[in-house]
Every structure is written in C-alpha cells, then in structure tokens.
C-alpha cells in the first residue's frame, strides 16, 4: 500500500455523528411524526434547494475528513516509512490546486505576480517588472493575445460539461415527476459552477493566491470542513447537557431545579466571548506544555479544534436547556403525563416516552438554527486569537490573514471576498434551511418569521 | 420591592462565588502559577529561580486554598483564592500582570466604551423596532417578504465583513472617517461614528427579524381582534396595543445588557482601535494577562446580575400584572 | 331597512397549498333593531366566520367572495377601510368568547373604553372618563373598576368590561360570539340578563352566536326574535324560537334536540348523530346533511334542497320541508307525523324532572344507599397549597383548594361532583389519584387506605382507579401510537400480560369503545375529538379499574359527540359494573348520568344526595341558584 489511513479524533467524532444520525433515521423511518415534517421540508422549494447546497458543503467536508499519510519511497532493509504530512481525499482530488504554489499574491485569473521583481531580461539587462506566474496561465505563450480566447474556450467547455451532467441527472428524475423547478435550478447552478471550476482551476488561479502563493480556491474549500466541524461537533457536547439538565430541571423541580438553574445562571453571567477566550487560553497553554502528545501538526491543530468545540459546547448549552426546562414544565402538567402517572409509570419511563419525544422538535430546531451562528463565531474567535490553530485552514484565519492587506495599493481583495462568499453561501443556506425545519416541526411558529 | 431587591442581591453572592471558583479553577488549577511564569518569561529554558522570582513579584507565590505555613485565620486568608479572587468582591482588582493598576484602567477606559456602546444600543433599538414595525404593517405583502429575505441575508454575513467593508468603503474610499484610532474630547465623534454605524448594520438582520416575529405573535392574539373590533386604526392597534404588549418580551432581551454596555464590544473596539474596555480585554487575552481577564469576567458577571434585577424592575413599568414580591 | 341584513354571504379561506375552504357558503339573514337573532350550530359550522366577515375582521387568508351586508342602508363591503373603522365598534360592535384573552392585559379598563369613546364619539379627558364610568354602571360594574387592569377582574367582570367597551360607540347591532361559553353557569345567567336588558333599553339588535340550544332559547323569547340553525356553512333552519323548539323541521335540528342529555332521559339511550361535519372544502351535489340524515332519500343526494317556508315564518332547507309546505306536491305524504325512524316528530322539552321517576342504578335495580360496599371512601381530605412571602419565602398562609371533603362511591354507582370553576373539584380528583399529595385526610380504595402506600403496593392500587380528562387533545401523547398508549398502563400495572396478550387486549378495548382495530397503529392526531375521548376511555379501562374518575369528559365536545360518549359511558358502566366519580359543571349531563350528586364550593361539599333529591328538592340556596341559573327554562 502506498498510503496508510489516519483517523484524527475529529474524523472519529464525525463518523460517530454520522452513525448517530443514520441510526436515528433508521429507527424513525416508519415514524410518521418524524417523516411528515422531513417530507415537508424536502418538498418545499426553499427546503430542497438549501438542502442540496448544504449537501455539497457536507460532501466537501466529508472528503476532507478521509485522512491518510503517504508512504515514502522504500529504503532497502528498513520498515516502511510514512510522510509526516497528513493529507485528505480532498487534497488528493485538488492536488493541482494544492501544488501550484506561486511566490506570493496574484489576482484571480492573473498571469503575472502581484509584486514587481527584479529580473534578468533576455538581453541580459536587469528590469523590474511583474514576473509571469509559475502555474497560473503558464501554458499561454502570449497572455495578452491568448488569455481571453483560452478562458472563454475552457469556460465554455466547463459550462457545457456542467449542463450535460445536469441533463443526465435531472431527466430521469423529471420523468418520474420526482423533482421540482427550485431543486433543478439549484442543481444547474451548482453543476455549472463546478464545471467552470473543473475546466479553469487547473490552469488559472480562479480566486487568486494568498501571501505565500497558495491558491485561494483551495484554501476556501479546505475551510469548509473547519466550519462544518465547529457547527456540528459542538452539538455533540451541547445536546447531552442541554437535554439532560433541561428536562431534569423541568420535571423534577425542587432542589434539582435550583442547582441546575444556579449552574446556568452562573455560566450565563460570564460574558460569552470572555469565558470562551479564557478556556481556550488554558487549553492552548496545556497543548503548548505537552508537545509530546501530538505526533503531527495536523493532530495538534485537530486537538485544538476539538477543544474549541468542547468549550463552545460547555458554554453554549444554557439557552437550549432553559428552553427545554420551560417546555418540560408545561408538558409535565399536561394530561397525558398525568395519565401515565396515574398508571404508576416510572419517572424514567415518563421522561423517555412522554417528555423527550415531545421536546425533540425544539432540540432539532435549535440545533439547526445554532449551526449557522457557530460557523460565524469561528471566524470571529479566530480573529480574536482564541479560535482554531493558526496553522489550520479556516475562514477565520483566511480573513485574519488578509484584512491588513486592504491597505495595499492596489487592494488585495480576493482572499477576503472568497472567504466571505463561501461562508455566506453556507450560512445563508443553513439559515433558510433552519426556517423550513422550524416551520415543519413547529406549525405554531409558521408565518412568524 | 425592597425585599425583592435585597433577595436578588443575596442570590447574587453564590453566583459570583461560582463565577470566581470557575475562573479560579481555570486559571490556577489547570494552569499553575509555574506555567504562567514560564509563559510570561518566554524563554525556552527558564530557571527555577526565575520562576519563583516572577511569582513573588506578581503575588502568585501563595498556596491556592490553604496556607499551612501561617497561623490562625491566615491559613485560609493568606491564599491565592482570597488574594486574587475574593478581593474582587470589594472591587479590589489589584494590579495587572504587567504591573499597572486595573481599577484605574477601567475608570479611564469605560468612557470610550460607553461612547460607542450606548448610541449603538439606543439607536439600534429604535431602528430595529421601527423596521420590524414597518414590515409588520405591510405583513403579507411583497415588501414584508423582501424585508424578511433581506434580514436573513444580512444575518448570514459574518460580522467581520461589516467591519472590514465599512473601514474600506467609508474610511479608505470615501475618506469620511479615519479608519481607526481615537482621540478624547470633542473630536471623538469622528472616530466613534463609523464603529456605531457598522455595529448598527451588523445587528439589523437578527434583531429586526426577531422583533418582527414577536409582533406577529402578538398580532394573532385575541385582544388585538378586540382592539380592531372597537374600530381603532391599524396604526393605533400596532403602536398602542401590539407594541405595548410586545415590550414585555423585548425587555427581557434588552434591559439585561444595559449595565454591560460599560464593557464595550470586544470586536468593534479592537478593530477600530478604540481604547475602551473591550480592546483592553482583547489585548489582555492576547497577552495572556490573566489578572485582567479575571477582573473583566467578574465585572461582566456583576453587571449581568445587575441587568437581571433591572429587567425585573422594568417589567413593573410595562406590565401591571408584575409586582415584585 | 332598519338593522342589519346579510345576503348570500360567502367566505373563502386559503389553506395549505392551493386548497380553498368555504366555511360560509351562502348565508342570508336579517337582524332588526331591538331583535335578537341566535345563530346556532356546532363547532366548524361557520357561525364565527360569519360574524367576523360582517365585521370585516376575517383572519389572514380569509376573504369574502360574495354577498352583501347592509347596516341601515349602508353596504358595509363597499365601504373604504377607513370608513369601516368608523362602523366597527361604532354602529356595529362585537364581543368575544374568551374574556380571559380578549382584553389588552397591559391597559386599564378606563383606557380601553376611552379608546373607543375617542374613536367614535370624539370624547377625551374628564368627559371620556365620566362617560366610561357611566358605561361601566350600565353593565353592572362599579366605577371604581375604571382603573383596574384585566387581571384584577373576574371572568364575568371582564366580559362586562368588554361589553362596556363595545357599547361606547352606541351600536345599532351588537354581535356576541359565544359570550358566555367560558363562564360559569351563574355568571352566564347574569351576562345573558345584562344583554337582554341592554337590548331592550338601548333598542339595539343582537346577533348571538352560540352552540348552546338552551342559551339560544333563553335569548330569543321575544316574538320578533329568531333562531338560525347553521350546518356546514349554511343556515338550514330559520324560525321563531317558540316554533323551533316546539317543532324543529330540519332533521339536523331535530337530531340536535334528540341528543341532549336531560334528567328526564335518565336510563334511556341518547339518540346519536352518526358521522361528522363535512370538511369545509367538500363539494356537495345535493343536501349537505344527506350523509348523516336518518330521513335521507334519493333526491337528497342529487338535488340541492331549497329554503322552504314550512309554516309562516318557519323555514327549513330540506326536501321534506317542501313536502310539508306544499303537501299536495309530495309523493311521500307529508312531514311532521313523527314517522321518521329514530326521531320523534315533536320533541317534548321538559325542563324540570319528573319527580316520580326513580333513579335507575346501573344494574337496572334501585340504588340501595349504604348497603353496597364503597369502592371509594374519602374522609376529611384536604389539599392546601402554601403561600410564600417575604425575604425568606416563609409560608404565611395556605390556599385551601380542597378543605375537608368526605365522600363515598359505592360499587357500580355514579357520583357526580358539581361545582363552578375554581371550587376544587379537579384538585380533589388528582388528590384521590395521588397525583397530588393530600395535606391531610384519608382515601380508601376498596377498603384499603392509600395513605403511605409506596412502590409496588401503590402501583397495584392504581390499577383499581383510573381517570379520563377533559381535553381530548392534551390527554393523549401526540408522539405515541394509539396501541402503545393503550398498552402503557397494562405494561405498568398488569405484568402478567406479555406483549401479545397486551396487543390482544388493546384490540379488544378499541372494539369495546367503538373504534376500528386498525386504530392501534395510528397516531392520535388522525382522530377527531370524540374518537380521542374514546381512546382515553379505553386507556383507562385497560387496567380493569373498579372506579373511573371522569373529569369533565364531555365539556370539550359538541353535543352530538357528547351523546355518543355518554352512551358509551352508560354501556361500560352496565357491562363492567364500574363506579364513576363524575366531575362536571354541566347540570343536564349530571342529571342524565348520575345516581347521586355532591355540590362543591370553595373546597367544601355543601350538599350531597340522590340526583332526584338534589334536582327537585335542593336543600341549600347555592344548589338552587345553580339550578335556576341554567338557561333555557321556560
């Protein structure tokens, strides 16, 4: 084997999360109270379109979660050696983008570098000019003449390819009447953009390059996983705390309620960012103090990311817990719970059969709504310096690295715009999807927002 | 009323104690004073003496909870917990790890913070509620739909974008305001206006949508139908009845943050170079100055609890059903 | 003309997707000055939508698609919205069902009346306040209530304040939408009296919307008054109340009378109305009632019946009424001889009980008081809730929700617990079931005291008593299948049954309460209110109880469904020898079902005796007041 799979902790947790979701779907596959809202979300125009966009993001994130290390060329007489650099399936897929590194900044579709350099001309004299890029548009002999025809030709082919794929995909669905226009249009957009990128990205830096010459498109795609992880893994911490404590406080009341309320008032009273910052600082110090625990830089960054998710979860469960407590207080007095008590049904059974299923819609709604907030929070926290590891590719780090360059002349805008754009599409899709989920699960809320 | 306030203040003590224990645990148990010394001294190989010296100098050379080395009450009193945490209860913040007096910093830095946070808060509340009322007045029409979509789009944009775009457009392209910095006195507005504007735009999506949802919920209630049945105009129904009742849930979210306005905004202040408490905190985080972070955490909790009490008191003003017992 | 006239009113509501509902489909009527018209119908018949359409206050998504409404010659649907604002609450006013939520909670009574005075009469300041005071006096409230907020008023006071608000514009016609449905019977009587007074003193028309036949009758005793019976978006019968109550002409109206439980129908099976109200988006080829009508014949299904005048002033939308109106035309030989199966042609309405009738025990014999062993014995039961105040939340007093109650229910006996809201009857039920811990007193079930029972012993005891709640919607867990709901109690209390045994028993129970066996695999939301109540009863029966506590089991149901449930309860009592503790505020239901009656007020039992004695020879004033307050007594 020329490679060895590597399972980072975050990869393992993603697998766990996937398994939990899959198990949940499997268990509830015949449950009408679960299927009906799901069908409603996927049948709505907004719901299906945003679900598709989110699926693309999730796909990118999952590809980026299949990690491996490459095997180094064998040396005779030695055991197999592996590279210290952890790569993912996405890296492999994007290897032209990953490897086409320039010297420094270059604008989108540029053929020349952003900064002038002193070069030796063909006549042996030294001139200061913008040098050609090593990779971007390097196949063009005379960029001034050939650039537009080349871009149009390749772009046209890409669009065509995208449309062909779309037709192949959509026709069978359409024939069976299984789809509607919003979904079809979204798919068309996605496929055309993908086609364009596939056709152009290997030959040009479609979104430019950053300070050390890395392709910005590559960075943006790699950031997706970080954003998704923060948005989803945090819920792994939030859910048990919020559900357990919230329902317990509401159902048992009395002392239990007092203690849990005290806990969340105390946590709430600390300004959120400060608490997160303090905790992250502590984790950072711990990681720095024990470098021996992490064999690769990726493992270290991964641990810091998980710690961040953990901290966001530990500080973020209070809102949902409070909501569940209030709802449980209401449900506890409802007659079907009273009827169960009249049967002498045990408390644990009442919690499991009567209360938990009847608050699950609130849990789901909150999880979906919080997701977008967490993606946005990553950027801010990374800016403040308490986010993910500075070496990790993330939206926050991209923005952080680029914002000072706005002062340059001409402006280096592409890195910022790329990061904001990728994040905006993800968060917008998540927000709109969350609205649909809320409408489907909580009919009372429909039309309100 | 007085009874109520006294009880709330008494209840604040265990909460503040909890906050202190939590931060204390974070800072001194997970992260021993030795670790701190090593980080502050920076170098790779720090001698034991240097560590002890730094600890002595900054007052971290005592045991955490229990001092066996001294006599009597000092066994408990002469410890890091009392020295560094409990003294916060009398607002004795002590010196920062860089030696400067935290209390004095707070006193000078709270004014710029307030100068940004207060206008942002007041204008924002007014603007968001007005916008939400506008949407609600035209509910069901295209204007409403477009407004809601705009809100969702605005709230999907990272806050950092508003800051960076604001600085670039208003500062660099149009030269309306200096990009960042601060200057006390009358000229301060030049430096304050842009951060306030940016904060307002950044907040509108979330808040306006939330307020709209509140109003729509109120509009569905029976008393609104009664008000209409009395023949009142839609505007009067909206302003007198719907707004009056929606003030109750609005207050829950709004009043609680008022005391915290003193602390300013971490992000806005450090982006725009405003020497307020927010940027002070950010700097402290980045410099890993735990003394400042601890003080700000405590202050934040204190002000939050004050906010809770204020919220309850404000209920008595808008809701005749609430009597503080 | 004078007053309000409505012609061919149609209302459409946009549903989910492209569905369109027609809750009101061609309604005509008039309300003259000083006339009361009662719009009578079961839930979902379109009566409230009619009222809201007149006020142009339809909920979002609803619109008037056809029709004309005239108020003293002004076409209301032609008015601009601003002009309509002057009519609404001015010349045409409306009061609502829920006094609890219909007033703005954060404005004082004076402010809320003042708004209407300012809008319609331009009054402000001290003049407005004085006028508001006069209005309060007119509705029987003290002027010191001007500065009160709604939460400081009782339900009846709130309804009075709402009426005062609506009188501010001196309306020509007042619409009252179920004005007393949420109120206790004694308060209901006061409010109805008030409305009658106001109508005669102010000479205003009254459009009363109600589901209660007795209320409709009570309010339409005048010679000019009319009752309109609505069904599926149309008025099916229109008559003076004397004529209508003496001889209803539409089979639906006849059924409504026949399903009413009364003291004089004790021991009889109540008539029932099969099926349910057609969906509001249903399309009809013929008569809307054809599917449920006992007298249906071929023509009903293909031809829409006209609105025929059976006797002068008495109209019915029925092919049979046409025959009755013109006997010569009819091939069926006329109408009204009472030969339609199951419906007496003329319904005798007997308000007072027949004193010679003997109460019938479930076994068909005569109740022998004291001779049978008691299933339930309650002695000196008290439930006190502490009131905490002050800095340390010390207990400064108690709310005595139940204050020393002693009762006994014999095997197979039905004891009714009657009282107005807040009297403690529901708390008592929950304390008996040990859902609330009683403060003192004992409860003995089948001779064994429940006090101090714990764990397994208490669980075994729980199998002997079960409860059915009022609200069929909140009493079933929406996330559980009906089968699982039924089996839950068995799993907890009948450990001897295995999974298959439980499933068999669940199927058996569904059959007993008249539900199809495939119901077990479905979820509660797929069932109507009456069906849900059947499920709740089956759930309670699942563990073979000896005593069922029925907490207002039919209050949330329409009268036709109520009859089905009461019949079911009577059948079950006979088959299983069940004892019922029947909690109700509805005296006619109590009179129909109960062997003995206990009257409760403020946590105490004031009087307890046989139904016959309580209804005919009440010993105390309060019982008499309750009986006299019941509407519809002529």
């Amino acid at each position: 084997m020329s490679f060895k799979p590597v399972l980072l902790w975050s990869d393992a947790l993603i697998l766990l999360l996937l398994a939990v979701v899959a198990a949940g779907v499997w268990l509830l596959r015949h449950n009408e109270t679960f299927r009906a809202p799901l069908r409603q979300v996927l049948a709505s125009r907004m719901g299906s379109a945003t679900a598709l966009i989110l699926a693309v993001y999730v796909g990118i994130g999952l590809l980026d979660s299949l990690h491996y290390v490459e095997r180094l060329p064998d040396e005779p007489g030695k055991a197999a050696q592996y590279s210290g650099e952890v790569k993912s399936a996405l890296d492999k897929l994007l290897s032209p983008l990953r490897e086409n590194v320039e010297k420094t900044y270059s604008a989108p579709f540029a053929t020349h570098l952003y900064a002038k350099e002193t070069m030796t001309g063909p006549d042996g004299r030294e001139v200061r000019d913008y040098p050609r890029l090593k990779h971007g548009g390097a196949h063009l002999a005379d960029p001034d003449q050939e650039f537009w025809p080349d871009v149009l030709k390749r772009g046209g082919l890409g669009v065509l390819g995208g449309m062909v794929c779309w037709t192949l995909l959509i026709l069978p669905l359409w024939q069976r009447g299984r789809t509607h226009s919003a979904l079809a249009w979204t798919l068309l957009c996605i496929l055309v953009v993908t086609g364009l990128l596939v056709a152009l990205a290997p030959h040009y830096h479609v979104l430019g390059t950053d300070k050390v010459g890395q392709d910005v498109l590559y960075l943006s795609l790699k950031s997706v996983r970080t954003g998704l992880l923060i948005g989803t893994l945090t819920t792994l911490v939030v859910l048990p705390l919020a559900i357990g404590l919230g329902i317990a406080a509401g159902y048992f009341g009395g002392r239990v309620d007092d203690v849990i309320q005290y806990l969340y008032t105390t946590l709430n009273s600390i300004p959120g960012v400060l608490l997160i910052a303090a905790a992250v600082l502590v984790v950072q110090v711990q990681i720095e103090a024990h470098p021996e625990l992490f064999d690769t830089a990726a493992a270290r960054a991964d641990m810091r990311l998980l710690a961040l998710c953990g901290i966001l979860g530990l500080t973020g469960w209070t809102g949902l817990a409070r909501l569940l407590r209030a709802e449980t207080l209401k449900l506890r007095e409802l007659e079907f719970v009273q009827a169960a008590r009249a049967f002498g049904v045990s408390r644990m059974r009442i919690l499991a059969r009567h209360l938990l299923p009847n608050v699950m819609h609130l849990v789901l709604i909150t999880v979906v709504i919080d997701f977008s907030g967490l993606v946005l929070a990553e950027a801010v926290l990374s800016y403040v310096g308490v986010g993910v590891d500075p070496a990790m590719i993330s939206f926050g780090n991209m923005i952080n690295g680029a914002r000072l360059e706005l002062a340059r002349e001409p402006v280096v805008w592409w890195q910022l715009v790329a990061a904001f754009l990728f994040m905006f599409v993800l968060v917008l899709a998540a927000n709109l999807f969350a609205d649909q989920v809320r409408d489907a699960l909580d009919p009372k809320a429909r039309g309100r927002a | 009323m007085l009874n109520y306030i006294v009880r709330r203040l008494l209840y604040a003590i265990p909460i503040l104690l909890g906050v202190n224990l939590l931060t204390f645990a974070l800072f001194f148990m997970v992260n021993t004073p030795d670790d701190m010394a090593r980080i502050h001294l920076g170098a790779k190989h720090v001698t034991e003496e240097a560590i002890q010296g730094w600890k002595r100098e900054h007052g971290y050379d005592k045991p955490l909870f229990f001092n066996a080395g001294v006599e009597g009450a000092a066994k408990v009193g002469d410890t890091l917990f009392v020295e560094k945490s409990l003294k916060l209860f009398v607002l004795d913040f002590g010196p920062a790890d860089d030696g400067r007096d935290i209390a004095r910093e707070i006193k000078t830095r709270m004014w710029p913070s307030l100068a940004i946070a207060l206008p942002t808060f007041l204008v924002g509340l007014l603007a968001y509620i007005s916008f939400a009322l506008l949407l609600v007045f035209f509910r069901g029409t295209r204007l409403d739909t477009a407004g809601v979509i705009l809100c969702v789009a605005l709230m999907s944009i990272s806050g950092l974008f508003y800051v960076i775009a604001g600085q670039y457009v208003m500062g660099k392209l149009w030269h309306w305001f200096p990009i960042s910095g601060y200057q006390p006195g009358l000229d301060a507005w030049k430096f304050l206006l842009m951060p306030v504007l940016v904060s307002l735009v950044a907040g509108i999506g979330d808040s306006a949508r939330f307020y709209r949802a509140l109003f729509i919920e109120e509009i569905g209630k029976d008393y609104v139908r009664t008000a209409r049945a009395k023949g009142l105009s839609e505007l009067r129904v909206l302003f007198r009845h719907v707004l009056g009742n929606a003030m109750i849930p609005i207050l829950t979210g709004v009043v609680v943050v008022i005391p915290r306005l003193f602390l300013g905004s971490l992000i806005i202040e450090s982006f725009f170079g405003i020497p307020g408490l927010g940027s002070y905190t950010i700097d402290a985080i980045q410099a890993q100055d735990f003394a400042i972070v601890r003080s700000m955490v405590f202050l934040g909790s204190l002000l939050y609890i004050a906010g809770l009490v204020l919220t309850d008191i404000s209920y008595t003003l808008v809701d005749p059903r609430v009597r503080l017992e | 003309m004078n007053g309000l006239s409505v012609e061919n009113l149609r209302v459409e509501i946009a549903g989910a997707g492209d569905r369109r509902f027609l809750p009101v489909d061609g309604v005509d009527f008039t309300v003259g000055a000083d006339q009361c018209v009662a719009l009578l119908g079961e839930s979902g018949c379109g009566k409230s939508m009619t009222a809201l359409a007149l006020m142009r206050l339809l909920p979002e998504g609803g619109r008037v698609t056809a029709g004309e409404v005239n108020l003293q010659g002004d076409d209301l649907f032609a008015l601009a919205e601003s002009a309509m604002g002057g009519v609404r609450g001015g010349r045409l006013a409306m009061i609502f069902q829920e006094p609890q939520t219909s007033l703005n909670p954060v404005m004082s009574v004076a402010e809320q009346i003042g708004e209407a005075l300012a809008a319609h009469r331009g009054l402000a300041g001290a003049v407005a306040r004085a006028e508001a005071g006069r209005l309060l006096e007119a509705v029987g409230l003290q002027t010191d209530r001007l500065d009160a907020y709604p939460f400081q008023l009782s339900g009846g006071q709130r309804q009075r304040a709402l009426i005062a608000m609506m009188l501010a514009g001196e309306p020509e016609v007042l619409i009252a939408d179920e004005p007393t449905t949420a109120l206790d019977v004694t308060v209901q009587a006061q409010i109805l009296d008030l409305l009658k007074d106001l109508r005669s003193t102010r000479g205003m028309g009254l459009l009363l919307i109600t589901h209660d036949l007795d209320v409709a009758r009570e309010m339409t005793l005048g010679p000019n008054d009319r009752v309109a019976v609505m069904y599926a978006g149309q008025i099916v019968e229109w008559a003076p109340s004397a004529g209508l109550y003496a001889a209803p002409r539409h089979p639906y109206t006849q059924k409504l009378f026949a399903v009413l439980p009364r003291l004089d129908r004790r021991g009889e099976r109540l008539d029932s109305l099969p099926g349910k109200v057609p969906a509001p988006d249903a399309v009809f080829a013929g008569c809307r009632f054809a599917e449920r009508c006992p007298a249906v014949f071929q023509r009903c299904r293909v031809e829409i019946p006209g609105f025929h005048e059976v006797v002068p002033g008495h109209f019915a939308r029925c092919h049979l009424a046409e025959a009755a109106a013109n006997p010569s035309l009819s091939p069926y030989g006329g109408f009204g001889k009472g030969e339609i199966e199951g419906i007496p042609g003329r319904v005798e309405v007997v308000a007072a009980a027949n004193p010679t009738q003997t109460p019938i025990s479930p076994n068909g014999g005569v109740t022998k008081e004291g001779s049978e062993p008691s299933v339930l014995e309650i002695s000196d039961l008290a439930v006190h809730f502490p009131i905490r105040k002050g800095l340390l939340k010390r207990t400064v007093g108690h709310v005595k929700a139940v204050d020393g109650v002693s009762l006994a229910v014999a095997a197979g006996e039905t004891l009714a617990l009657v009282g107005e809201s807040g009297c403690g009857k529901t708390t008592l039920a929950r304390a008996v079931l040990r859902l609330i811990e009683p403060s003192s007193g004992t409860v003995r079930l089948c001779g064994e005291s429940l006090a101090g029972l714990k764990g397994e012993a208490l669980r075994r005891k729980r199998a002997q008593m079960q409860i059915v709640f009022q609200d069929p919607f909140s009493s079933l867990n929406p996330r559980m299948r009906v089968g699982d709901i039924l089996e839950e109690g068995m799993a907890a209390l009948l450990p001897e049954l295995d999974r298959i045994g439980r499933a068999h028993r669940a199927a058996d129970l569904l059959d007993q309460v008249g539900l199809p066996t495939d119901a077990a695999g479905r979820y509660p939301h797929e069932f109507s209110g009456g069906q849900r109540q059947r499920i709740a009863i089956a759930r309670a029966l699942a563990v073979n109880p000896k005593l069922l506590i029925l907490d207002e089991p039919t209050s949330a149901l329409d009268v036709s469904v109520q009859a089905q449930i009461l019949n079911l309860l009577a059948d079950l009592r006979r088959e299983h020898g069940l004892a019922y503790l029947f909690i109700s505020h509805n005296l006619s239901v109590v009179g129909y079902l109960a062997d003995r009656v206990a009257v409760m007020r403020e946590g105490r039992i004031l009087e307890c005796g046989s139904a016959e004695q309580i209804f005919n020879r009440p010993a105390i004033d309060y019982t008499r007041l309750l009986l006299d307050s019941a509407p519809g007594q002529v």
Side-chain angles (χ1 to χ4, degrees), chain A residues 30-33 333-336 338-345 353-354 357-358 361, chain C residues 430 435 459 462 466 469 471 474-480 484 488-489 492-493 523 539:
Chain A
H30 294 309
N31 188 329
E32 200 45 39
T33 55
E333 298 305 321
L334 279 192
E335 278 127 359
F336 66 80
Q338 299 292 329
R341 288 182 56 205
F343 284 124
V345 175
R353 293 295 300 267
H354 294 284
N358 281 296
H361 66 287
Chain C
R430 296 192 178 201
L435 297 176
R459 219 195 304 279
R462 283 189 186 285
Q466 277 304 317
F469 295 98
D471 182 355
S474 61
S475 68
L476 303 178
N477 184 343
R479 310 267 170 196
M480 276 167 83
D484 294 332
E488 180 172 48
L493 298 180
Y523 286 91
R539 170 178 62 187

Side-chain angles (χ1 to χ4, degrees), chain A residues 320-340:
Chain A
L320 180 58
R322 207 182 335 201
L323 189 69
L324 293 183
R325 173 180 174 271
E327 187 69 16
T328 309
L329 274 176
K330 234 184 292 168
L331 286 173
R332 185 177 73 168
E333 298 305 321
L334 279 192
E335 278 127 359
F336 66 80
V337 177
Q338 299 292 329

Side-chain angles (χ1 to χ4, degrees), chain C residues 251 254-255 289-290 292-298 300 318 320 335 340-341 343:
Chain C
Q254 293 167 348
K255 275 288 186 187
F289 188 58
R292 309 171 73 187
C293 184
V296 64
F297 57 100
Q298 179 58 30
C300 302
C318 180
L320 291 172
F335 173 85
I340 302 169
E341 203 182 346
I343 309 175

Side-chain angles (χ1 to χ4, degrees), chain B residues 194-212:
Chain B
M194 184 155 72
V196 170
L197 280 176
V198 165
S199 318
L200 286 179
V201 176
I204 194 165
D206 240 337
S207 310
R209 202 168 93 115
F210 175 64
Y211 293 146
R212 178 183 169 278

Side-chain angles (χ1 to χ4, degrees), chain C residues 225-241:
Chain C
D225 300 338
R226 291 290 179 276
V227 179
V229 181
M230 262 188 103
Y231 183 78
Q234 289 184 334
I235 291 178
V236 294
E237 190 157 0
W238 168 267
S241 84

Side-chain angles (χ1 to χ4, degrees), chain A residues 169-370:
Chain A
L169 273 175
I170 210 77
L171 267 183
L173 282 178
W174 224 321
Q175 271 169 348
R176 275 185 278 159
R178 292 288 297 266
T179 186
H180 45 77
S181 57
L183 188 64
W185 286 116
T186 315
L187 188 64
L188 179 65
C189 289
I190 292 173
L191 286 175
V192 165
V193 170
T194 314
L196 271 173
L197 291 180
V198 168
L200 290 168
H203 307 284
Y204 297 94
H205 297 292
V206 178
L207 295 176
T209 55
D210 75 348
K211 190 169 191 170
V212 293
Q214 292 194 83
D215 190 280
V216 171
L217 177 61
Y218 172 72
L219 294 179
S220 307
L221 290 172
K222 290 286 282 183
S223 298
V224 168
R225 176 177 185 265
T226 316
L228 290 178
L229 278 187
I230 300 254
T232 51
L233 289 190
T234 304
T235 54
L236 280 180
V237 184
V238 167
L239 289 191
L241 281 175
I243 295 177
L245 295 178
I247 295 184
Y251 187 67
F252 295 113
R255 286 277 152 75
V256 179
D257 189 22
D258 288 345
V259 169
I260 293 170
Q261 281 206 64
Y262 168 74
L263 261 183
Y264 70 56
T265 318
T266 305
L267 269 179
N268 262 353
S269 76
I270 305 177
V273 185
L274 267 181
L275 185 58
I276 294 166
V280 170
L281 276 185
V282 169
V283 169
Q284 201 176 322
V285 170
Q286 290 297 308
I287 290 178
E288 275 165 23
H290 303 285
E292 70 281 0
L293 291 177
F294 312 102
D295 44 2
T296 56
R300 205 183 110 128
D302 190 61
M303 191 42 71
R304 170 117 184 233
L305 178 70
L306 288 185
L308 182 62
C309 291
I311 290 160
L312 286 173
L314 284 174
T315 53
W317 58 272
T318 53
L320 180 58
R322 207 182 335 201
L323 189 69
L324 293 183
R325 173 180 174 271
E327 187 69 16
T328 309
L329 274 176
K330 234 184 292 168
L331 286 173
R332 185 177 73 168
E333 298 305 321
L334 279 192
E335 278 127 359
F336 66 80
V337 177
Q338 299 292 329
R341 288 182 56 205
F343 284 124
V345 175
S346 71
R347 288 176 157 201
M348 279 304 142
R349 233 184 128 69
I350 289 181
L351 284 177
R353 293 295 300 267
H354 294 284
L355 296 177
L356 189 60
N358 281 296
V359 299
M360 271 328 269
H361 66 287
L362 291 177
V363 173
L364 263 177
I365 293 170
T366 312
V367 165
V368 188
I369 288 177
D370 282 356

Side-chain angles (χ1 to χ4, degrees), chain C residues 395-458:
Chain C
T395 307
V396 294
H398 287 92
V399 176
K400 295 177 176 174
V402 178
D403 192 17
V405 165
S406 301
L407 285 173
V409 185
E413 182 192 42
T414 299
L415 172 68
L417 194 57
V418 174
E420 297 188 290
S421 55
C423 73
K425 51 194 195 298
T426 293
T427 310
L428 174 65
R430 296 192 178 201
V432 168
L433 284 165
R434 282 275 298 267
L435 297 176
I436 303 174
E437 281 302 314
S439 311
S440 66
T442 56
V443 176
R444 298 173 77 84
L445 190 64
C446 304
E448 194 184 342
S449 171
L450 290 183
L453 282 187
K454 277 200 187 101
E456 193 49 40
L458 178 62

